[in-house]
Amino acid sequence: MIALIQNELMKIFGKMASWIYMIIIVLAVLIAGIIYMKFSGEPNPNWREDIQAEIHMLENQLPSAPEEEKPFIQTQIDQNQEYLDKDIDPTAKTNWHFMNEVVIGVSSLVTLFVVIVGSANVAAEFSDGTIKQLLIRPHRRWSILLSKYIAVIIYALLLVATLVVSGYIIGLILFGSGDFNMKIFEVTLEGRKEAIVGTQFFLKMLYYLPSLLVIMTIAFMLSTLFKSQALAVGIGIFVLFFSSTLGGIILMLADKYVWAKFLIFPHLDLTVYALQDRILEDITLPVSLSILALYYAIFMIITFFFFQKRDISI
């Protein structure tokens, strides 16, 4: 099995595109860092005095403000006071702020490249006409397919590592070394949540991995179902880009239709659980993980069953 995995990794890294994807991730992090540095403003060492002055100004405006504006002004006062009470600098910009706010966003590129590689992994063997040479080896079909799957997982993890390492290094260069334990406010649907900036980044990355695995598995399944590499990749990218849209629509239907909660799309982005405890009233992280695990098992069964029975004529 190890030899098969090594062979599949050689195939993946034998393609120039696999290296280009890594370079694109590093460049994307760098460009995002420059944009973030340019438009996010400079840290303000006198932020407490400025916030206190702003609170005083808003309090003076409040009595004479129109009734419809008073709730908004009071909310601003309360939020500013909370910065002071919690000792949270809203102007802070360190490498960990960059990682938590920007690098996490670049992870969508990792998912895209994993979908492309996973979708093409088996379909390319049919498109290139090499599937027969692959299956006449003295190995069972399932072991050949499993080695391909593991190789894609390893490549996906390498892309994630490239994202995290490049993000940390670029963050150090652009913003300097910040306090891992610095407190921040995260905006959620339920208001603002106090968090530790470094912990929050790794929590989001941890919740990102199951979603990446499931989306990669969907792409890999499509690769075994279609002989056309272009078709497999196209459908894989379609699923990736429309999953969030479909998830939002299904969540709106969930209040009316109970079965909608058990569709896969609302559960594909687990990073929301780094910001809030539940998607809906009765949908929490353990529920989402259980639903993803069920779909994952179904996708794997379909993938290996279909490949075992598939006609290899080309």
Side-chain angles (χ1 to χ4, degrees):
M1 177 62 73
I2 294 178
L4 286 174
I5 295 172
Q6 289 176 336
N7 182 60
E8 293 303 326
L9 285 172
M10 289 175 61
K11 289 182 181 179
I12 291 176
F13 285 101
K15 298 178 180 178
M16 183 63 67
S18 300
W19 297 99
I20 292 176
Y21 296 153
M22 290 185 171
I23 295 172
I24 290 175
I25 288 172
V26 175
L27 290 176
V29 171
L30 177 60
I31 293 171
I34 294 172
I35 294 173
Y36 181 69
M37 181 175 62
K38 185 176 180 62
F39 292 101
S40 62
E42 292 292 331
N44 182 5
N46 300 315
W47 64 272
R48 289 181 183 84
E49 291 79 1
D50 288 350
I51 287 182
Q52 287 171 342
E54 184 176 349
I55 290 175
H56 183 68
M57 179 189 69
L58 291 172
E59 287 175 338
N60 289 335
Q61 291 178 355
L62 188 59
S64 59
E67 287 300 321
E68 63 272 13
E69 294 183 10
K70 285 184 178 180
F72 174 72
I73 295 175
Q74 186 60 54
T75 299
Q76 286 184 303
I77 293 173
D78 294 340
Q79 289 179 346
N80 284 337
Q81 188 60 51
E82 199 171 9
Y83 281 123
L84 296 175
D85 294 342
K86 301 288 187 178
D87 193 30
I88 296 177
D89 180 3
T91 70
K93 294 293 179 290
T94 68
N95 59 323
W96 290 112
H97 288 81
F98 168 66
M99 296 274 280
N100 182 60
E101 297 176 21
V102 179
V103 173
I104 284 293
V106 182
S107 64
S108 58
L109 272 181
V110 173
T111 309
L112 172 62
F113 296 147
V114 170
V115 164
I116 293 174
V117 173
S119 298
N121 194 266
V122 179
E125 300 282 0
F126 286 94
S127 298
D128 298 339
T130 57
I131 189 66
K132 283 187 175 180
Q133 289 78 8
L134 184 66
L135 295 182
I136 60 175
R137 296 180 179 182
H139 297 287
R140 293 183 180 274
R141 282 195 179 193
W142 67 264
S143 64
I144 294 173
L145 189 62
L146 182 60
S147 67
K148 284 182 166 293
Y149 183 72
I150 293 174
V152 176
I153 290 178
I154 293 173
Y155 180 71
L157 292 176
L158 287 174
L159 288 184
V160 172
T162 300
L163 173 68
V164 174
V165 173
S166 63
Y168 183 74
I169 294 173
I170 291 172
L172 279 178
I173 295 172
L174 296 180
F175 305 101
S177 179
D179 183 2
F180 181 92
N181 295 309
M182 184 176 290
K183 291 186 292 185
I184 59 170
F185 279 128
E186 290 273 38
V187 179
T188 73
L189 295 176
E190 302 170 352
R192 297 199 300 180
K193 171 187 174 182
E194 182 181 344
I196 302 298
V197 63
T199 303
Q200 192 71 355
F201 167 73
F202 283 108
L203 192 61
K204 289 177 182 177
M205 288 303 303
L206 180 64
Y207 290 158
Y208 165 72
L209 292 177
S211 304
L212 177 65
L213 178 64
V214 173
I215 294 175
M216 186 207 79
T217 302
I218 295 173
F220 190 80
M221 178 184 67
L222 294 172
S223 187
T224 65
L225 295 179
F226 300 104
K227 291 183 178 181
S228 169
Q229 179 179 348
L231 184 60
V233 172
I235 296 177
I237 294 176
F238 176 85
V239 170
L240 170 63
F241 281 104
F242 285 92
S243 61
S244 59
T245 302
L246 290 174
I249 295 173
I250 291 170
L251 282 178
M252 289 189 292
L253 296 174
D255 290 333
K256 186 176 181 180
Y257 304 103
V258 176
W259 54 264
K261 300 176 183 179
F262 301 100
L263 298 177
I264 190 173
F265 295 105
H267 309 280
L268 282 177
D269 184 11
L270 296 181
T271 58
V272 295
Y273 288 111
L275 303 175
Q276 56 199 54
D277 296 329
R278 58 189 71 242
I279 298 177
L280 295 173
E281 185 176 350
D282 55 348
I283 301 295
T284 59
L285 178 60
V287 175
S288 289
L289 286 174
S290 299
I291 292 173
L292 286 181
L294 177 61
Y295 276 99
Y296 177 80
I298 292 172
F299 295 149
M300 292 297 287
I301 291 171
I302 292 173
T303 299
F304 280 83
F305 177 80
F306 190 89
F307 190 76
Q308 284 286 112
K309 301 297 183 180
R310 186 166 186 175
D311 179 12
I312 65 169
S313 61
I314 54 175

